[in-house]
Structure formats: structure tokens, C-alpha cells
Amino acid sequence: MLTTLHKNRSAQLAIGLLMGIVFGFLIQKAGVTNYDVIIRQLLLQDFTVVKLIATAVLVGMPGVYILKHYGYAKLHIARGSLGTAVVGGLIFGVGFAVLGLCPGTVAGAVGQGYMDALFGGFIGIMLGTGLFAMLYPKISGGVLKCKMIQYDTIPDMLGIKPSYIIVISLILGAGFLYLLEYLGL
Amino acid sequence: MLEILTEVTWSPYVAGAGIGILSWLAFLLSDKPIGCSTSYFRTFGLFRKCFKGECDEKNPYYLKFAPKIDWQWMLVAGIVIGAFISSMLSGVFEIIWVPDMFAQKFGDDPLLRLIIAIIGGVLMGFGARWAGGCTSGHGISGTTQLSVTSIVTAACMFAGAIGTALIIYGVL
């Protein structure tokens, strides 16, 4: 592991910015920083967003697990509960459809000139996170801890080696993307 | 080679593969998964600090995610710059107040769009922190790591979003 690099704060800020620039460039080129493309995905008329996310996951997964296998990376699993995943996920989803952009693509939409993303989305998301922080002390022991998810990863849960799960995921994922193309979606 | 950079759209498979490679680099070079929503909270905290002064912090959430500029904050700042460069190169940068589909359905009043966008943003920011991540943190990075929590969360996010969009646009 590149521990020295990980601890170098100014290098990390520079790497973060650089990676953000590439990330922003890629999502803008793919068109997902556009309200219309996201809404058409949510209306199941255009599958650009799903294709982008699925490809990112299918390319990312073997690489990250190979890096982990050789000791160059460690996983960062955000443990949660059904309380966080289902309730938080659904609230997020409603906001996602109303705004028509997510926290990453809002930033991209601002970069390409969408003023509703800058003065609406950006400010709204910030206020929403602040509102959550206000509520956090009241719910941190309750609903957020309700039905904790016991396993970190799918391989842990099924007791199968990650490499098998990755191969299966790649086959299923490629099949799914092929099906989308076949159906012309 | 340079024509690629000025093209208006890339295949989602090419862009997606690029993001996949970016996630290898994030794990290798920064020991971090790609995510975005925490940065909005840190920014909110930075504004709050300006008004609040230097009194003791009691809310544990501000202690957990301190109001400071970190790797992920720079990532979100970078997204704005990257999308700006990309849209300038392909000549699609344009100041727009109301997206087309919204205008077709609800009219082209910028104030109405702004109010709806703020409401959506508040719900999404609130939900992202409740769920401990957003579409990139859970949907891309979490799923890449085969995280059970992230896969369940991402499925609920899309279920909520698809249901809401179908209602808003009157398909149901």
C-alpha cells in the first residue's frame, strides 16, 4: 500500500481534484449530467444511466479485488441497516426524481451551465444534509440501527470466494447489458 | 485523437469503463471509494461555522464529518471543472434555467423550477445522509466492492426514484 502517499494531505487534495475533473468529464460526455437523460432513465425510456453505472461496476470490481488480493488496497464497506438502506434509500429516491439529478451529476450539471442545479440542487442538497444532522442525535440509536445488515459483502454472506462471485457478476452483467442492447433500450 | 475530446457524447460503456478505472486509482492512490454526498454536508458545516463562531460542538454528526476540505470535497469541485471543460470542448456549454422535459410538462418559469429543484435537493441530501451515501458512494463504489448494504440501498434508491418519476410525469 502507498501509505506515505495516502498520508500526504496536499498530494491527496490534488489527486482528489484531478480525479474529480476526469469523473466530471466522463459523466458530462456520457450525458448523465442532463436532467432529461436522468428522467428518461427513471421513466425507463432510456437506459444510459444504468449502462454507465453497470459498466463502471463491472470494470471496477475485478480491479479493486485484484488490488486487494495483492495488498495494494483495502475495502471500504459502509455498514448499514435496513433502517438506513430502505428508509434512506427511498427518501433519496424521491428527491432524485424531483430534482432529476444526483449529488455527483448536480455538480456536473453546474459545470455545463444549469442554473437550476446551482441555485436549486446544490443549495437544496446542502440544506438537506444540514437538516439530517439536526435530526441525527434523535434517530442515531433508533431507526438508523434498526435491523443491522450482518454481512459486509456478498461473498461473506454466501460463504463463497470473491473470485467466483466476480466471475458470475461479470457474466450476468454482460448478459444484462447485451439484453438492453438487444431490446434497443 | 483530439476529435474524441470535442465529441458531444461518448458511449456510456466507454465513460463507464473510465469510471471503473478511476475507482481502481481511487483505492490505490487515495485509499478511498468515490463518493459525493458527504462533501455537501462538509460545505454546509463550513457555512454554519462562519455564522456560529467558535463555541463547543455538541452535535455528534459534525464531529463525525468535520467541516473541512478533504479529498472527497476536492473530487466534487473537480466534477464541476471537468464537466465545464468537457461541455466547452464540445460546444454544448449553455446557461439554462429550465431543462427541456421539465418545461414541456410544467412550463418554462425559472422560479417554479428553482423551487421544485430545492425541494428535490433537500429530500435527496437528507436521504443521502440517512442512507450513508448517494448514487456514486453506494451505487458505484459500494456495488463495486460487492457490499450488501450498498446493493440494498442502491436498489431502494432506484425503486423510490422510478416510482416518483412515473407519478410526476403521469405515466402511472
Side-chain angles (χ1 to χ4, degrees):
Chain A
M1 290 235 270
L2 306 170
T3 324
T4 333
L5 181 63
H6 297 164
K7 284 190 180 138
N8 183 336
R9 186 176 141 80
S10 36
Q12 285 306 321
L13 294 183
I15 292 172
L17 184 70
L18 215 63
M19 287 192 176
I21 292 174
V22 176
F23 192 41
F25 194 94
L26 291 170
I27 59 176
Q28 202 286 323
K29 284 284 182 233
V32 299
T33 53
N34 191 321
Y35 173 92
D36 295 10
V37 172
I38 296 209
I39 291 296
R40 278 201 297 269
Q41 170 66 68
L42 298 179
L43 296 174
L44 309 175
Q45 296 164 353
D46 170 337
F47 278 72
T48 304
V49 178
V50 166
K51 288 174 188 172
L52 177 97
I53 294 180
T55 313
V57 168
L58 293 176
V59 171
M61 189 190 292
V64 167
Y65 270 90
I66 289 169
L67 286 173
K68 177 184 175 277
H69 181 79
Y70 289 105
Y72 287 105
K74 60 175 193 284
L75 296 186
H76 292 271
I77 306 286
R79 266 278 181 96
S81 64
L82 287 185
T84 64
V86 177
V87 182
L90 290 174
I91 297 171
F92 179 95
V94 174
F96 188 14
V98 172
L99 177 58
L101 292 160
C102 64
T105 53
V106 152
V110 170
Q112 71 171 84
Y114 276 98
M115 293 296 116
D116 59 328
L118 177 59
F119 296 109
F122 229 103
I123 290 173
I125 299 172
M126 269 195 331
L127 294 177
T129 62
L131 198 65
F132 178 76
M134 264 171 61
L135 192 69
Y136 179 77
K138 292 193 183 70
I139 60 172
S140 60
V143 63
L144 297 183
K145 293 263 158 56
C146 177
K147 302 230 188 301
M148 288 302 291
I149 291 170
Q150 298 300 322
Y151 298 96
D152 277 355
T153 66
I154 300 281
D156 290 344
M157 189 173 82
L158 301 177
I160 302 172
K161 270 185 163 178
S163 47
Y164 294 124
I165 301 284
I166 291 167
V167 171
I168 295 167
S169 305
L170 291 176
I171 294 168
L172 290 177
F176 171 68
L177 292 174
Y178 180 81
L179 185 71
L180 285 181
E181 292 299 328
Y182 180 78
L183 295 172
L185 289 167
Chain B
M1 181 65 199
L2 281 173
E3 293 89 73
I4 297 174
L5 300 177
T6 56
E7 267 174 36
V8 176
T9 35
W10 285 4
S11 150
Y13 300 119
V14 174
I19 294 169
I21 293 169
L22 210 57
S23 64
W24 308 345
L25 293 173
F27 275 90
L28 179 67
L29 301 177
S30 299
D31 193 25
K32 293 246 176 5
I34 290 173
C36 294
S37 68
T38 327
S39 303
Y40 290 85
F41 178 63
R42 291 196 202 273
T43 311
F44 180 83
L46 286 169
F47 279 118
R48 180 175 171 269
K49 217 164 98 180
C50 294
F51 292 105
K52 202 172 171 254
E54 288 301 312
C55 52
D56 280 343
E57 186 55 76
K58 288 198 184 67
N59 187 321
Y61 209 67
Y62 289 94
L63 298 170
K64 205 168 152 188
F65 300 104
K68 61 167 196 218
I69 289 174
D70 66 344
W71 181 88
Q72 207 197 73
W73 196 94
M74 295 300 278
L75 184 87
V76 176
I79 295 175
V80 179
I81 300 169
F84 175 73
I85 296 172
S86 169
S87 60
M88 286 304 265
L89 282 174
S90 48
V92 296
F93 179 88
E94 194 187 348
I95 299 293
I96 293 170
W97 285 87
V98 186
D100 289 345
M101 277 185 80
F102 185 91
Q104 279 163 27
K105 182 79 184 173
F106 303 103
D108 55 5
D109 180 5
L111 189 65
L112 177 69
R113 173 56 194 154
L114 216 53
I115 293 167
I116 302 276
I118 289 178
I119 294 170
V122 168
L123 281 166
M124 195 168 66
F126 186 83
R129 291 293 84 220
W130 187 305
C134 63
T135 347
S136 42
H138 280 306
I140 296 179
S141 300
T143 312
T144 293
Q145 300 176 78
L146 290 163
S147 152
V148 181
T149 300
S150 291
I151 292 168
V152 177
T153 309
C156 291
M157 285 174 170
F158 273 93
I162 289 168
T164 309
L166 291 174
I167 293 167
I168 291 175
Y169 279 86
V171 180
L172 284 184

